[in-house]
Amino acid sequence: MVDPRMSIPPVAQAITRREWLKATGCGFGYLALAGICAQASAADAPGPAYLNPLAAKPSHFRARAKRVIFLFMQGGPSHLDTFDYKPKLQQDSGKGGERGKLLGSPFHFERHGAGGLWISELFPNVAKHADELCLINGMHTDNPAHPQATIQLHTGSATFVRPSMGAWVLYGLGTTNQNLPGFITINPPSGLGGAQNYGSGFLPASYQGTRLGARGEMADVKSPMPVADQRRQLDLVQAMNRDFAPRSGAADQIDGVIQSFELGFRMQSAVPELLDISRETPATLQMYGIEGGVGAQLPERLKRGGAGDNFARQCLMARRLAQAGVRFIEVCHPGWDQHNNLHQALTRNALSTDRAIGALLTDLKSHGMLEDTLVVWGGEFGRTPTGQNGDGRNHNNRGYSMWMAGGGVKGGTSWGKTDDYGAAAVENKVHTHDLHATILALLGLDHEKLTYRYAGRDFRLTDVSGNVVKEIMA
């Protein structure tokens, strides 16, 4: 490769900046060409001359799922009113309990599917997929506070800055589409840990998540500059970055910058088309509850709900992103912290989410993707069986529900159990570390082997804990 520095005239000639750029331009082009050639021939090279951190990697063992869609219901949805039916709580509603007066659910439960899963009337569309759901009713976590529980659900630790679950998945498996981020989070909460919930922690910065707004918007990725000129400009900047990285003391961070610049350049053509859901058929938009596509007027029932059809758009985008090769996608729906006004607030949340989630499962199945896409639904914890402020429930980290679908789990089943009132997990308990270990296992990753050396220690998503729940795997 031609060393671009060989063509720089002596400093004594006092050349202008324009002359310097003209003299070195070809050299930067050679740098870019060398990188591309190295990437193309990496598989045949005898040594690690070039390693693309986002290149697809083999799993530890046979994977049941290729990708994850995590539907994060921020705030702690009440398991007692959604997926954990408690006849005893209904029977004793109004009586004094261990921590206050018991509050039975105002919602009716029925059995659904061949497995007879108990599902609340709040989720009629999700209930249609009962034979594909695995209810995990014995969840528990370490902290009943929103920030700590949210961070632990996303990173495995509530006390230290750690890489997020999506970053670990991307680190372990890479991505299959080099023109898109491998990890995308849609509408993440700005508080409760903020970017830490989709950050890369001590992993290289190239594994951090890319944030999209509530309606799927992201910073404008188009450039007014012609592509060829932009490529030449980027080659110059990247060459300077590569030259500076070894001397900076922050080579990993600069490598993350280099990767993000290259990804941003490639995204210009791929992202706008991918995020344009108006390309979907009217039937698909109607199935999700997106009336008329982009710019449509919202129905009154969704206006009253406050969330509009944003969540429906996010779910549709999640399918499109998964179809395009994105490895880990998170969709967040806030507002599940019902300390009062439980009946009205849960009804509103269900109206905003049930149809879209049912459509997502239907859509994935119709595209032949549900069998290798793991869909996870849940929040940071659940709610208490005792009432609060009249019609409300307090935080409960001792027992709650999540569910999985597709991606190699046993459909039509439930695992784990809370006590008669739903206050605490008592049978086949599943901790956050167990959940993470199981998600990684479904992706073909051994949570004990997926490690990263940092500060003299091999770290992992599950810290020093975690057991794979093999019983829920198909």
Side-chain angles (χ1 to χ4, degrees):
M1 183 179 71
V2 176
D3 186 348
R5 294 172 295 181
M6 298 298 291
S7 59
I8 300 177
V11 176
Q13 296 183 19
I15 64 173
T16 66
R17 181 172 59 180
R18 179 174 295 179
E19 290 172 332
W20 183 83
L21 290 173
K22 181 178 179 181
T24 59
C26 292
F28 294 128
Y30 285 129
L31 280 173
L33 177 61
I36 295 171
C37 292
Q39 180 175 354
S41 61
D44 301 324
Y50 176 84
L51 292 177
N52 178 6
L54 298 178
K57 305 170 189 175
S59 56
H60 294 141
F61 45 80
R62 185 184 69 85
R64 293 170 169 83
K66 294 180 179 179
R67 64 194 74 84
V68 175
I69 297 177
F70 177 27
L71 305 174
F72 176 47
M73 306 293 108
Q74 185 276 316
S78 172
H79 56 298
L80 302 168
D81 300 289
T82 53
F83 298 102
D84 193 6
Y85 178 50
K86 292 298 173 187
K88 182 71 171 173
L89 179 62
Q90 299 301 102
Q91 176 183 328
D92 293 344
S93 181
K95 295 181 179 180
E98 178 184 349
R99 303 191 179 190
K101 187 175 292 187
L102 296 170
L103 177 66
S105 176
F107 303 103
H108 177 67
F109 279 74
E110 287 186 2
R111 290 186 180 273
H112 293 271
L117 298 184
W118 286 102
I119 299 176
S120 164
E121 63 179 317
L122 285 170
F123 292 98
N125 290 287
V126 172
K128 294 175 183 178
H129 296 273
D131 287 335
E132 285 138 2
L133 302 184
C134 175
L135 302 184
I136 306 175
N137 286 328
M139 288 295 306
H140 65 109
T141 192
D142 296 335
N143 198 299
H146 291 293
Q148 291 87 340
T150 299
I151 293 172
Q152 184 171 24
L153 175 61
H154 284 84
T155 72
S157 174
T159 54
F160 300 101
V161 176
R162 295 285 186 263
S164 60
M165 175 169 42
W168 278 110
V169 170
L170 194 56
Y171 164 66
L173 295 174
T175 182
T176 57
N177 189 333
Q178 298 300 311
N179 295 328
L180 293 171
F183 170 22
I184 289 179
T185 178
I186 308 176
N187 193 33
S190 56
L192 308 174
Q196 186 177 339
N197 293 310
Y198 54 91
S200 58
F202 47 68
L203 290 175
S206 52
Y207 299 119
Q208 67 187 2
T210 296
R211 179 187 180 278
L212 299 185
R215 291 177 64 85
E217 65 273 351
M218 62 162 36
D220 191 0
V221 296
K222 294 182 179 180
S223 171
M225 185 184 299
V227 174
D229 293 342
Q230 188 185 10
R231 180 70 258 179
R232 286 194 292 270
Q233 182 188 64
L234 184 58
D235 289 342
L236 171 61
V237 174
Q238 299 292 58
M240 291 177 175
N241 284 335
R242 292 188 182 98
D243 180 66
F244 177 65
R247 300 179 279 107
S248 67
D252 284 347
Q253 289 86 342
I254 292 179
D255 181 66
V257 172
I258 292 172
Q259 295 293 334
S260 67
F261 284 176
E262 292 296 336
L263 179 59
F265 179 78
R266 297 192 301 268
M267 284 169 57
Q268 292 179 107
S269 59
V271 169
E273 180 178 347
L274 185 61
L275 297 184
D276 184 6
I277 64 173
S278 65
R279 296 171 180 267
E280 297 287 342
T281 65
T284 298
L285 296 175
Q286 183 180 11
M287 178 175 67
Y288 278 88
I290 303 169
E291 300 198 2
V294 177
Q297 294 296 314
L298 302 180
E300 285 300 321
R301 67 177 183 84
L302 289 180
K303 287 181 180 178
R304 291 194 301 271
D309 63 353
N310 285 352
F311 186 76
R313 295 169 183 271
Q314 294 163 28
C315 286
L316 178 52
M317 282 191 292
R319 191 270 290 165
R320 291 170 66 87
L321 292 169
Q323 194 174 22
V326 179
R327 184 74 71 178
F328 193 100
I329 304 144
E330 178 171 353
V331 179
C332 177
H333 186 279
W336 296 80
D337 190 21
Q338 279 89 40
H339 291 275
N340 53 34
N341 199 27
L342 177 108
H343 186 276
Q344 183 177 349
L346 276 181
T347 301
R348 179 181 66 237
N349 287 351
L351 280 173
S352 297
T353 61
D354 170 61
R355 179 174 177 177
I357 295 172
L360 174 62
L361 297 175
T362 298
D363 207 6
L364 288 170
K365 192 171 183 179
S366 68
H367 282 83
M369 296 173 60
L370 185 58
E371 62 184 19
D372 57 13
T373 301
L374 178 63
V375 181
V376 182
W377 180 98
E380 63 268 39
F381 43 60
R383 315 302 293 192
T384 59
T386 51
Q388 185 185 32
N389 302 319
D391 179 20
R393 301 187 189 277
N394 208 341
H395 302 174
N396 181 11
N397 65 303
R398 301 188 300 152
Y400 58 99
S401 300
M402 297 183 74
W403 58 255
M404 296 182 180
V409 301
K410 290 180 181 177
T413 63
S414 62
W415 179 256
K417 187 177 180 181
T418 56
D419 61 44
D420 288 341
Y421 295 129
V426 295
E427 182 179 310
N428 296 325
K429 299 166 66 174
V430 178
H431 187 268
T432 304
H433 291 315
D434 305 325
L435 176 74
H436 289 160
T438 305
I439 290 173
L440 292 179
L442 290 166
L443 290 165
L445 295 170
D446 185 334
H447 73 105
E448 294 183 346
K449 293 180 180 179
L450 185 66
T451 62
Y452 188 84
R453 193 76 173 175
Y454 174 72
R457 174 187 161 191
D458 288 334
F459 283 86
R460 67 190 206 211
L461 173 61
T462 52
D463 195 31
V464 294
S465 305
N467 295 295
V468 176
V469 187
K470 297 180 180 178
E471 292 83 356
I472 72 170
M473 295 183 175

